[in-house]
Every structure is written in structure tokens, then in C-alpha cells.
Amino acid sequence: MAGYENYMEDAQEIELEIERKGIALGIDWNDEAQVRALAREALDYSPDDTHLKASAPLDHTLLAKIDLFGLAGLMLRTMEESAGIGIESHGGVAWKAFAKALWAEVASRK
């Protein structure tokens, strides 16, 4: 790793965006079944599955999910990188619920 990373600040910024996407999607981060289904969808998602056409009306729900799935990747990468240098990084309720669901879904697929 080159340079100094502020993992706490990164986690806070990612958490805020996860919360915003959760609001847009109507996610209740305390509903384990709903969050687990979202984690399953995130893990199954492939950018090749999405064909946005310039002439098509924007699907804001789809865009919010795509953003959220990208944030999941950033979240997991932040945790992994910081753990590599002995720092535990995490956000708040939304972060923890989503991370827990993602790890549980990955474990169930092994």
C-alpha cells in the first residue's frame, strides 16, 4: 500500500452512501431476510446483465442498486485492506447489516 489511508473516514463516507441508497430502495437494515436477499442479488449481479439504452427511460431503482452493489465492493475492500495492516474498519447499522448478509451469503455458497 502506498501512502496513508484514512480508513475511518472512508468507512463513514461509504456508510453514508449505503444509507442513502437504502433509503432510495426502501431497505430496512434491521430486516435480516430483506438484507440477505439484497446481498444475494449483489453477489449474483453482473454488469453484463444491465443494458441501459440512451433512449430508454431511467430506472432509478436499478441505478440505486447498481450503486449499492459497487459500494458493497468498496466496503469489503476497505475492510480487507485495513485488516491487512491491523485496523478494523466498519461503519454503522447499514454497513454492519449488509456486510453480515454478504458474508453469510458467501459462506452459504461454499
Side-chain angles (χ1 to χ4, degrees):
M1 171 188 304
Y4 170 77
E5 295 288 332
N6 187 337
Y7 292 110
M8 177 177 264
E9 184 178 307
D10 291 348
Q12 290 172 340
E13 290 175 11
I14 294 167
E15 169 80 8
L16 180 59
E17 289 303 314
I18 289 172
E19 289 173 346
R20 288 177 175 159
K21 301 307 175 199
I23 291 168
L25 294 168
I27 303 297
D28 175 358
W29 297 108
N30 294 309
D31 182 339
E32 288 184 32
Q34 183 185 32
V35 178
R36 182 73 182 262
L38 183 65
R40 191 174 306 113
E41 191 175 350
L43 292 172
D44 291 340
Y45 173 76
S46 168
D48 295 334
D49 297 338
T50 306
H51 303 288
L52 298 176
K53 296 180 181 176
S55 62
L58 288 178
D59 180 344
H60 294 285
T61 300
L62 176 62
L63 294 176
K65 280 187 178 182
I66 291 169
D67 285 348
L68 182 60
F69 299 163
L71 289 165
L74 288 173
M75 176 182 69
L76 295 174
R77 185 173 183 183
T78 299
M79 289 189 297
E80 182 180 57
E81 284 183 7
S82 65
I85 60 168
I87 298 172
E88 183 178 315
S89 294
H90 58 79
V93 172
W95 173 299
K96 290 176 184 174
F98 200 26
K100 178 182 174 183
L102 287 164
W103 290 125
E105 188 60 30
V106 166
S108 75
R109 295 175 180 211
K110 291 182 178 179

